[in-house]
Amino acid sequence: MDRTAAALLMDLFPCVCTVLGSAMVFVSAGRSRARLRKGVLGLAAGVMLAVSVFGLLEPAIEDASAQGQKGWLAASAGLVLGAAFLMLTEQLAGNLLEGGGARVAMAMALHNLPQGMAVGLAGALALEGQAGWVAGAVGLSLGIGVQNIPEGAAVSFSARGTGCGRPAAFWKGCASAVVEPLGALLAGLLADRLLGAMPWLLSLAAGTMVCVTVQELLPEAAKEEEGPFCVVLGFAAMMALELLL
């Protein structure tokens, strides 16, 4: 197996998880659907915040330090640049971004690209056979996959809330992960050249995630009484998973 195939294979599980999360749009209706949607958005917000800190920023700092870079610079500057890039892209997109579902889907796609690159790079390096790299690649794939379930649901429920039918909302949720295997493929092809840039790619992804969480997910989740609890629950669950892995 070459590095490109390994990168794509490692990214298969996260993509399947996105599809499973998007399919949640079919399971409820009416008021129960609205409450479930806001609860899922709360879980997704907590998961995304936890992944931003433990799954993206911490590895960015560690990778930068290991490479002799300034960890605080890569993490903090990349975080701000990621949020600024997302907001600038939204502004330039204009009418294409009308409605929360479009904004959430675009943000997911933007952070899924470097996320897919991270998973793909880990899979490509795992071919070297070192136990630490193999375990790290599997752990990263599992962690991002679990995170993608509420993310896919967040996109499909947001699209449903703007008036899309269930099938269309489902496909929009699935489409948010399309760029992830593209990122994995790119990482597999350029594995040797991307190692130095990975801290910045990870922190850029964190910036887009934090930005969309604050803009879209937290306000919607707060409309239900159980919304804040779902945010904390999602954060705690993802934090525990990240620390265990």
Side-chain angles (χ1 to χ4, degrees):
M1 181 183 296
D2 61 19
R3 284 185 169 181
T4 301
L8 290 172
L9 181 62
M10 194 60 64
D11 194 58
L12 179 60
F13 179 72
C15 291
V16 171
C17 287
T18 300
V19 174
L20 292 176
S22 301
M24 292 181 66
V25 75
F26 292 108
V27 303
S28 61
R31 173 60 178 165
S32 62
R33 180 187 65 80
R35 294 193 67 176
L36 177 60
R37 171 179 174 269
K38 290 179 172 59
V40 169
L41 291 178
L43 287 171
V47 165
M48 290 173 70
L49 289 175
V51 170
S52 297
V53 176
F54 299 101
L56 295 174
L57 291 177
E58 279 196 353
I61 294 171
E62 293 173 359
D63 287 351
S65 299
Q67 296 175 28
Q69 302 179 29
K70 296 179 179 179
W72 65 267
L73 178 61
S76 58
L79 183 71
V80 173
L81 288 174
F85 174 70
L86 174 61
M87 296 179 70
L88 178 62
T89 305
E90 288 181 344
Q91 184 177 2
L92 294 177
N95 293 333
L96 294 178
L97 294 176
E98 290 183 357
R103 298 178 70 186
V104 173
M106 189 192 71
M108 297 297 186
L110 286 174
H111 88 257
N112 277 342
L113 180 63
Q115 207 166 253
M117 293 177 71
V119 175
L121 183 59
L125 294 178
L127 286 181
E128 302 298 327
Q130 293 190 28
W133 287 357
V134 174
V138 173
L140 184 61
S141 179
L142 289 175
I144 290 179
V146 172
Q147 163 209 328
N148 281 358
I149 295 176
E151 281 188 11
V155 175
S156 61
F157 277 127
S158 294
R160 180 65 172 156
T162 62
C164 287
R166 293 178 190 272
F170 167 72
W171 287 115
K172 284 187 176 182
C174 295
S176 68
V178 168
V179 297
E180 201 164 290
L182 295 179
L185 176 62
L186 183 62
L189 293 172
L190 302 176
D192 293 331
R193 301 180 182 181
L194 287 176
L195 288 176
M198 281 311 297
W200 290 87
L201 292 172
L202 292 171
S203 57
L204 282 168
T208 62
M209 292 179 75
V210 172
C211 189
V212 75
T213 299
V214 174
Q215 284 182 314
E216 301 293 343
L217 304 184
L218 290 177
E220 284 295 309
K223 292 180 181 179
E224 294 291 340
E225 292 182 359
E226 61 270 25
F229 177 78
C230 289
V231 174
V232 175
L233 181 62
F235 187 97
M238 199 64 212
M239 177 181 66
L241 181 62
E242 290 284 353
L243 294 176
L244 287 171
L245 294 177

